[in-house]
Amino acid sequence: MTQEEAMAESFNIYDIINFGPIQIQDANPYMESYETRYKRYIPVIYEFVEAFIDQIPFDIKKYLNLDDANYQGFVQTMISMTMTTYMFKQDVTSVLAKQNIDDTVDYLLINPKVSFLVKLREELVSGYYNVLRQMIQRFAPMNKVKVVVVTEQSFLGYFDLMTALNSVLYVDVSQSDADLMDADMVVTTSIIDLTGIVNPEAVMFKWHQNADSDHFGRMLGLLRGLWIQKSSIDD
């Protein structure tokens, strides 16, 4: 090995031992990938997490449409959570059907090679549940915010408005009056009396035809607030 490679190799084991529970990205070309480091220095935990992911009853990468970088980030988070749980005896990184996670962890803990994790069974179940829930909420969110746009399609900026709304994964956009009664937010450019045909609890957001960045920001902030509120209620 060159001196640079030898120094990087020394850092690899130091990194795993001291910073394993923390996901750190590094662009150093001499640094091995996290996957390679985990396989080399903590193979049992790496294999345990890989086995858990394989037991999930659907292909999480395809289901959430993850690219390679996001999928590897998910795997790293799961490994980091497992290491954190083992080192600190609790899941400090973060409560699908939780029963499925219970059953999967119990099945994997039969393996005597991971007997050191048995006493942390509850913490692992909780941690895996949190990681999976966050990934699904981010890439295939449930409890979407229903937005109905009541406006003319001819004004300058209409395309920008629709593009902004359609780009938010946790938003369902409609332009049909039939959806007003189920709307969480109504975006409109005009003052129209919608009493009786719109959900009385819907947020009415007046859209400026020459909207600036702040106006877009206020709308997106409200949408995120509504999404968090709906997710909390359903949880």
Side-chain angles (χ1 to χ4, degrees):
M1 290 187 291
T2 65
Q3 182 177 0
E4 290 83 2
E5 290 170 336
M7 292 178 66
E9 180 66 15
S10 298
F11 177 80
N12 285 339
I13 186 64
Y14 178 85
D15 176 37
I16 292 295
I17 291 174
N18 292 277
F19 303 107
I22 305 171
Q23 186 176 331
I24 303 174
Q25 299 295 336
D26 198 306
N28 189 326
Y30 293 105
M31 292 296 175
E32 293 177 329
S33 69
Y34 262 84
E35 180 181 15
T36 302
R37 286 188 237 174
Y38 287 139
K39 284 182 178 178
R40 178 176 297 181
Y41 298 117
I42 50 170
V44 176
I45 287 182
Y46 178 84
E47 291 167 6
F48 181 83
V49 171
E50 285 283 287
F52 176 85
I53 295 173
D54 288 341
Q55 291 292 323
I56 296 174
F58 56 88
D59 187 330
I60 195 167
K61 186 175 182 180
K62 289 183 178 178
Y63 178 70
L64 300 181
N65 195 28
L66 302 177
D67 57 25
D68 289 339
N70 281 319
Y71 179 74
Q72 285 304 315
F74 164 66
V75 175
Q76 290 176 29
T77 300
M78 295 286 280
I79 291 174
S80 295
M81 192 288 303
T82 306
M83 293 179 63
T84 300
T85 302
Y86 178 61
M87 295 172 70
F88 300 110
K89 312 310 177 191
Q90 61 179 322
D91 171 31
V92 297
T93 63
S94 25
V95 139
L96 297 230
K98 197 165 184 180
Q99 185 61 49
N100 290 341
I101 295 178
D102 283 337
D103 295 342
T104 301
V105 171
D106 286 341
Y107 169 76
L108 295 173
L109 288 176
I110 295 173
N111 185 346
K113 290 171 62 177
V114 293
S115 59
F116 60 93
L117 293 175
V118 170
K119 292 183 179 179
L120 301 169
R121 183 255 188 203
E122 295 300 324
E123 289 79 4
L124 287 172
V125 169
S126 176
Y128 285 157
Y129 173 77
N130 285 332
V131 173
L132 285 167
R133 179 175 177 274
Q134 291 167 16
M135 289 293 295
I136 290 173
Q137 284 285 59
R138 178 181 175 191
F139 291 99
M142 297 173 283
N143 315 316
K144 290 188 177 184
V145 178
K146 299 177 182 178
V147 178
V148 178
V149 178
V150 182
T151 181
E152 308 82 7
Q153 300 184 18
S154 57
F155 75 89
L156 188 64
Y158 170 82
F159 180 75
D160 290 338
L161 169 61
M162 296 304 294
T163 299
L165 290 171
N166 283 309
S167 68
V168 183
L169 292 177
Y170 51 79
V171 168
D172 273 336
V173 187
S174 170
Q175 295 172 273
S176 172
D177 290 349
D179 293 323
L180 285 170
M181 191 52 69
D182 295 323
D184 298 305
M185 176 187 283
V186 177
V187 179
T188 179
T189 55
S190 57
I191 302 175
I192 304 174
D193 184 8
L194 299 174
T195 305
I197 64 171
V198 67
N199 175 12
E201 297 182 359
V203 174
M204 305 298 295
F205 191 79
K206 178 66 181 299
W207 186 252
H208 297 168
Q209 295 197 15
N210 296 312
D212 56 15
S213 296
D214 289 342
H215 199 59
F216 273 95
R218 284 192 291 273
M219 180 184 70
L220 295 175
L222 281 171
L223 288 172
R224 179 167 178 78
L226 288 169
W227 176 57
I228 292 173
Q229 181 182 10
K230 290 190 70 174
S231 298
S232 299
I233 292 173
D234 288 346
D235 286 344

